[in-house]
Amino acid sequence: MFSYFIKRVLYAIPIALAVTMLCFSLVYLAPGDPLQAVLPADASQEVIDSVKAEYGLDKPLPAQYLMWLERALKGDLGKSIGSGRAVTEEIGKAIGNSLLLAVLAATLAFTVGSLMGIAAGYRQGSAYDRALSSVAIAGVSIPHYWLGIVLVAIFSAKLNWLPSIGSGVEGDGHWSMAQVHYLILPVLTLSAMPAGIVMRSVRALVADTLNKDFVTGLVAKGMGKGAIFRHLAKNIAPTTLAVFGVQLGYLMAGSILVETVFAWPGTGLLLSTAILQRDIPLLQGTIFVLSLLFVGLNLVVDLLQPFFDPRMKRS
């Protein structure tokens, strides 16, 4: 099993390097000259050359990439053009809010989706199964931002039950129970799609496992439903864990529209702001951190798999 851990870590290294190359290339993939956001329109050639030298843009691309990578690995992602503050400072304030939102949404999606999937898998082909599957398909199909707008219109504008924007956290950054109301609508919005995906995955796993020969043998031996369910859970746990890890990563990296709808001060809103302001260092740094976080989450899930799947331990 130790060799499996080493292989997974080694596989993650080239993926992480590819992520750094893509993030570095954002400066050149973006339309226009990256210096336009830094320099005034009437800047002299002398000033342009000076700024190019300061940002390392006067060097060949490979040298620029190595310089950027060295700084990034040291935690220096440059300064935001819009605020003038360090990019790491901006991301540090936002990533905690996004992580809180993603963990709560993923936990809710995993719990609800798993329960629905197990119930539908046990009653495959029934009206109950079709109804739950329809709900899951609706959750996967409805766009996040549209669902968020509808929830705001109903629960905030019409019923005035819940706040529609912001986090409710004051400048000191401390949370209280009063701020929980600000989490409800974003969490519900974000959890709809992964709940549908988890439900469909778990339903297929349960239905397939119940048709296995070993389950038929357990029933023939007179084993109780509780004991059979424990065997069933052991078989579906590895795949369900993998789905959970992937969805958590997607929620961290793909919540830009939802955070914009609710003005939630996370990395999604930060990315939206960076795009609108053409703040290349902030955009570059945020995507870099989120991408590495996604790679890291998938690596953790891969490393946890053998503990839930005895077949991987034996191999």
Side-chain angles (χ1 to χ4, degrees):
M1 193 166 67
F2 179 74
S3 61
Y4 169 81
F5 290 159
I6 297 299
K7 286 180 182 178
R8 300 314 302 177
V9 172
L10 291 178
Y11 288 157
I13 292 175
I15 297 175
L17 284 175
V19 165
T20 64
M21 292 179 185
L22 181 60
C23 292
F24 170 77
S25 302
L26 283 175
V27 176
Y28 301 96
L29 293 175
D33 188 346
L35 291 179
Q36 288 178 354
V38 182
L39 295 171
D42 57 348
S44 63
Q45 187 62 41
E46 183 180 353
V47 172
I48 294 175
D49 293 339
S50 175
V51 173
K52 279 187 176 181
E54 181 182 351
Y55 282 86
L57 297 176
D58 57 336
K59 294 180 173 56
L61 278 179
Q64 290 184 41
Y65 167 70
L66 292 176
M67 289 172 57
W68 177 84
L69 181 61
E70 182 182 2
R71 291 197 304 268
L73 293 177
K74 291 179 180 179
D76 179 12
L77 296 174
K79 288 186 178 181
S80 168
I81 296 171
S83 66
R85 292 189 291 267
V87 171
T88 50
E89 180 184 344
E90 296 281 1
I91 297 174
K93 291 189 299 183
I95 200 166
N97 292 328
S98 287
L99 187 60
L100 174 65
L101 206 61
V103 169
L104 290 176
T107 303
L108 178 63
F110 179 77
T111 303
V112 174
S114 296
L115 292 175
M116 290 173 58
I118 291 170
Y122 264 100
R123 302 184 184 185
Q124 51 186 304
S126 66
Y128 192 68
D129 176 24
R130 290 193 291 272
L132 290 176
S133 296
S134 298
V135 172
I137 292 172
V140 173
S141 305
I142 294 175
H144 277 167
Y145 62 90
W146 184 85
L147 178 60
I149 293 171
V150 170
L151 291 178
V152 168
I154 295 174
F155 293 102
S156 183
K158 187 175 181 63
L159 300 175
N160 199 28
W161 287 356
L162 297 168
S164 59
I165 60 173
S167 64
V169 180
E170 301 297 335
D172 56 7
H174 293 304
W175 278 86
S176 67
M177 287 303 296
Q179 276 81 49
V180 173
H181 295 90
Y182 289 85
L183 280 164
I184 295 175
L185 292 183
V187 167
L188 288 176
T189 303
L190 273 179
S191 63
M193 184 178 293
I197 294 173
V198 170
M199 183 273 170
R200 297 294 295 168
S201 301
V202 172
R203 187 254 180 217
L205 288 168
V206 170
D208 181 64
T209 305
L210 287 175
N211 292 324
K212 298 284 187 183
D213 291 338
F214 82 90
V215 175
T216 306
L218 294 176
V219 174
K221 288 181 179 180
M223 186 172 288
K225 292 182 178 179
I228 293 176
F229 178 76
R230 286 194 293 271
H231 285 280
L232 178 73
K234 289 179 182 178
N235 279 267
I236 69 173
T239 305
T240 306
L241 175 67
V243 173
F244 175 77
V246 170
Q247 292 307 311
L248 178 59
Y250 278 134
L251 289 176
M252 276 296 300
S255 60
I256 177 171
L257 293 177
V258 173
E259 291 190 4
T260 302
V261 167
F262 292 100
W264 183 263
T267 53
L269 186 60
L270 200 65
L271 279 173
S272 177
T273 304
I275 292 171
L276 293 175
Q277 296 180 350
R278 283 185 50 83
D279 194 336
I280 298 297
L282 184 59
L283 181 65
Q284 198 177 43
T286 306
I287 293 177
F288 172 71
V289 171
L290 289 177
S291 300
L292 289 186
L293 183 62
F294 186 83
V295 173
L297 281 171
N298 279 276
L299 177 61
V300 170
V301 170
D302 286 342
L303 296 180
L304 288 176
Q305 287 282 60
F307 296 101
F308 293 89
D309 192 348
R311 294 168 298 183
M312 299 181 71
K313 290 183 181 179
R314 289 194 294 268
S315 63

